[in-house]
Amino acid sequence: MTTSTTSSPSSAIGARTAAASPALVIALVSAAAFALSGPFAKSLFDAGWSPGAAVAARIGGAAVVLLIPVIITLVRRWAKVKGSLGRIAIYGVVPIALCQLFYFNAVQHLSVGVALLLEYLSPVLLVGWAWIITRHRPRLLTIVGAACAMAGLVLVLDLAGSQKVSVEGVLWGLAAAVCSAVYFIMSARADDDVPPVLMAGGGMAVGALMILGLGAAGILPMVFNFNNPVFAGAQVHWLVPVLGLVLVTTVFAYLMGIVATRGLGSKVASFLALFEVLFAVIWAWILLGEMPRTIQLLGGVAIMGGVILVRLDELRGSPRRGPTFVVELDAGTSRAGDGLSAARIEELPAEAAQP
């Protein structure tokens, strides 16, 4: 990994220009689009769909939409990507299929905002994993961020409140966080020649086949119907939430994320992706009437603050506090709820880290 150097005035001006570019707006639009997956899916659940059926429709439909670009990319770059087909398959199974399935199961038992907040604990889990495998204690800022996120989790769950917490829903949400963290571990290769469209489209195809296979074998309940669900307080055709999941929250959001990341740089885009949690709470409030309690709002702020502290500590590096673990996002969309983000984790010696 090339160590960072002191930023020049021209690079600082370039960063400010990028941050003020239309790509910033595109990044926020992408986060808002991704955050709609919970409300769309919940309307299908209320109409009798199972989480497995919703996931199959979402990633299967997106795979069909991206099929032609994937085939073209495979033909043109076969020599470079043929050795990565196994990794693409694993990507489709864990970060795409299982992550979405676990998240949708969590949404079935919890509010959309709480389920997404649980999944967004993945950066903290990633820091813990790096601590375990390297035997190096994180710096103080990372520890404070992790503790802040854990405290926020307790507030979000409102364990002392009058409403009973769904243990099953919490476990599904944490399982989604694990799947999201697995993606970062999988993406620890800097010499990746797999184009984002191929990684996403190929992964979605594999994930859809797995979900459909589990459904055909009777292992995963695959219940769907053509009843008209209620979305945003009105009865709509069943295709409205299905097409919303496929076109808006998957294809459109992913492509907009690529444009934003290329325009802003991966680090800025990764911070902006955290706005998905805020958008998820707003959409759930507007479309589903799920108004979080005050203590849960405070917990959400604490979780977001903890994640940001961890990110800041990863990105800044410091020669005064020993080894540091940098998560440097590569080109691609940053997606916690769907696992569509790339990362590289490397250990930097103290003398190589720059503030």
Side-chain angles (χ1 to χ4, degrees):
M1 174 180 177
T2 304
T3 58
S4 58
T5 57
T6 304
S7 300
S8 64
S10 59
S11 64
I13 294 174
R16 287 195 296 268
T17 302
S21 70
L24 187 147
V25 177
I26 296 175
L28 294 177
V29 171
S30 175
F34 276 125
L36 276 169
S37 64
F40 279 131
K42 197 143 193 174
S43 67
L44 292 175
F45 299 156
D46 293 340
W49 285 51
S50 67
V55 171
R58 183 184 187 188
I59 62 179
V64 171
V65 173
L66 295 174
L67 181 60
I68 294 179
V70 165
I71 293 175
I72 294 175
T73 304
L74 276 175
V75 172
R76 290 181 175 178
R77 306 192 61 173
W78 174 252
K80 292 185 177 181
V81 304
K82 62 181 180 180
S84 301
L85 295 182
R87 192 163 57 90
I88 294 174
I90 297 175
Y91 171 85
V93 170
V94 180
I96 289 185
L98 292 182
C99 187
Q100 293 185 36
L101 180 62
F102 294 160
Y103 170 63
F104 282 174
N105 273 293
V107 168
Q108 206 174 28
H109 299 278
L110 302 169
S111 69
V112 170
V114 171
L116 193 58
L117 283 169
L118 288 171
E119 185 176 345
Y120 256 100
L121 289 174
S122 57
V124 178
L125 298 180
L126 185 61
V127 170
W129 173 255
W131 189 354
I132 292 173
I133 64 174
T134 61
R135 306 293 179 86
H136 288 297
R137 181 180 63 84
R139 295 189 305 270
L140 179 60
L141 190 60
T142 291
I143 295 176
V144 171
C148 184
M150 292 297 107
L153 174 61
V154 174
L155 294 177
V156 166
L157 297 179
D158 193 11
L159 299 177
S162 58
Q163 296 187 14
K164 184 178 179 180
V165 176
S166 171
V167 177
E168 183 178 356
V170 171
L171 292 177
W172 284 122
L174 293 177
V178 171
C179 289
S180 180
V182 165
Y183 177 77
F184 287 92
I185 297 173
M186 281 184 58
S187 304
R189 294 178 51 179
D191 57 340
D192 194 352
D193 292 326
V194 181
V197 170
L198 176 58
M199 181 66 78
M204 288 174 189
V206 173
L209 290 175
M210 188 201 75
I211 293 294
L212 292 173
L214 292 176
I219 299 175
L220 180 65
M222 196 72 65
V223 181
F224 63 92
N225 56 59
F226 303 107
N227 297 332
N228 293 333
V230 175
F231 180 75
Q235 194 171 47
V236 298
H237 194 278
W238 65 272
L239 280 175
V240 171
V242 170
L243 292 178
L245 281 175
V246 172
L247 300 178
V248 178
T249 73
T250 306
V251 176
F252 173 78
Y254 177 70
L255 294 178
M256 289 300 99
I258 293 178
V259 173
T261 303
R262 290 177 177 175
L264 290 170
S266 56
K267 295 178 182 178
V268 176
S270 68
F271 279 102
L272 290 174
L274 297 177
F275 276 91
E276 183 187 345
V277 175
L278 175 62
F279 283 121
V281 173
I282 293 174
W283 287 132
W285 181 14
I286 295 174
L287 301 175
L288 303 177
E290 292 182 351
M291 178 59 186
R293 295 185 293 279
T294 301
I295 190 171
Q296 291 181 310
L297 290 174
L298 293 175
V301 171
I303 290 178
M304 295 296 295
V307 171
I308 290 175
L309 288 176
V310 170
R311 290 285 193 186
L312 286 174
D313 202 26
E314 290 169 347
L315 297 175
R316 69 181 179 89
S318 173
R320 296 183 297 274
R321 296 184 182 274
T324 179
F325 302 97
V326 177
V327 175
E328 185 172 332
L329 302 182
D330 297 323
T333 72
S334 180
R335 172 66 196 86
D338 295 312
L340 296 179
S341 57
R344 177 156 56 94
I345 309 172
E346 296 187 8
E347 179 182 355
L348 298 180
E351 61 271 14
Q354 297 288 337

